Amino acid sequence: MDKKVYSTDGKELRTISLDDKVFGLPINEDVIYYAINNELANKRVGTACTKGRAEVHGSNAKPYKQKGTGNARRGDKKSPITVGGGTIFGPKPRDFSYAIPKKAKRLAIKSILSLQAQSDRLTVVEDFTVESGKTKDLVKILSNFAKDERTVIILKDNDAKIKQAGRNIPNLSFLSYNRLRAHDLFYGRKVILLEGAAKNLSDFYAEDKEAK
């Protein structure tokens, strides 16, 4: 697949050939669904906690005797049917995380990259950084490619300066080529792929690498 490479000013520079094994695959919607659900589950904190009947504070004594009052039978004040009583089958702290096969995760990422490339949401831009680390400098560059929409920038390395410049920009996230997140990548309305990251992706997700 051939894609045009743009400068930071939004001008066409040249054409780059993207690996069809990464950017030209058929879209596998099932594996994308499983990968996104897996990421969301792994992010859950799971700290919700309620007290059961044995854990709430209160007396074990019955409020009145069993028979002779004409009222319904009652247990102690910790009964779940009373105000302040225990909770029936309430949530307890738990771990929601689980693992999916690495091959499935890699296939999901490649399917999303292919989806974004084939839907023209993916734009290849020459390698750049923001030496000043200022937000306004990065906003000026992004204005040539995205207009107030959820944007993802795929970096070729861990560029601290560009991340510093973009941390105050809403709806903007940064992903390194070797640590892509299916959720952010799938829901990005505009994906800006640095030219160096495009080459790294082809090597990182190559089939021969998976076979090793």
Side-chain angles (χ1 to χ4, degrees):
M1 176 184 294
D2 292 334
K3 279 283 187 180
K4 295 178 181 178
V5 179
Y6 294 88
S7 67
T8 54
D9 298 327
K11 299 178 180 179
E12 295 182 14
L13 294 179
R14 52 189 168 272
T15 300
I16 186 174
S17 179
L18 300 179
D19 192 347
D20 287 337
K21 294 181 179 179
V22 180
F23 297 93
L25 294 177
I27 310 305
N28 191 324
E29 296 181 353
D30 290 341
V31 77
I32 292 175
Y33 170 81
Y34 293 136
I36 292 177
N37 270 10
N38 172 248
E39 290 182 357
L40 294 178
N42 292 346
K43 290 175 64 176
R44 294 186 67 175
V45 180
T47 55
C49 183
T50 55
K51 290 184 177 181
R53 183 170 185 167
E55 298 170 307
V56 295
H57 179 72
S59 171
N60 292 327
K62 292 169 66 68
Y64 48 80
K65 63 182 181 178
Q66 180 86 339
K67 296 181 178 292
T69 64
N71 296 320
R73 293 172 292 183
R74 286 288 305 276
D76 57 45
K77 64 186 300 183
K78 297 184 292 184
S79 171
I81 65 174
T82 62
V83 176
T87 301
I88 304 175
F89 303 127
K92 288 291 185 181
R94 56 172 291 192
D95 182 11
F96 288 93
S97 64
Y98 63 94
I100 63 174
K102 291 183 178 179
K103 286 187 176 181
K105 178 74 173 184
R106 292 171 69 91
L107 178 58
I109 294 297
K110 291 190 289 186
S111 291
I112 297 174
L113 288 172
S114 299
L115 174 65
Q116 299 290 37
Q118 295 168 20
S119 61
D120 292 329
R121 291 182 181 176
L122 186 143
T123 304
V124 183
V125 181
E126 65 176 345
D127 294 338
F128 70 91
T129 187
V130 182
E131 293 294 344
S132 63
K134 293 184 178 181
T135 301
K136 64 178 183 180
D137 294 337
L138 181 57
V139 168
K140 183 178 179 181
I141 296 174
L142 293 179
S143 63
N144 298 313
F145 307 102
K147 305 294 183 182
D148 298 328
E149 53 193 341
R150 183 178 289 185
T151 305
V152 177
I153 299 179
I154 301 180
L155 305 174
K156 64 176 182 177
D157 51 25
N158 188 21
D159 191 337
K161 282 294 185 180
I162 193 172
K163 290 182 178 180
Q164 177 185 343
R167 63 187 178 187
N168 291 328
I169 302 177
N171 299 322
L172 176 66
S173 57
F174 297 96
L175 299 177
S176 297
Y177 76 93
N178 57 346
R179 299 189 66 182
L180 297 180
R181 294 190 296 270
H183 181 272
D184 292 353
L185 199 59
F186 179 78
Y187 287 103
R189 305 304 298 176
K190 178 65 70 172
V191 178
I192 298 177
L193 175 63
L194 298 190
E195 187 175 7
K199 299 176 181 178
N200 292 340
L201 279 173
S202 298
D203 296 334
F204 187 76
Y205 286 101
E207 292 295 335
D208 57 345
K209 186 179 180 65
E210 291 184 3
K212 293 180 180 179

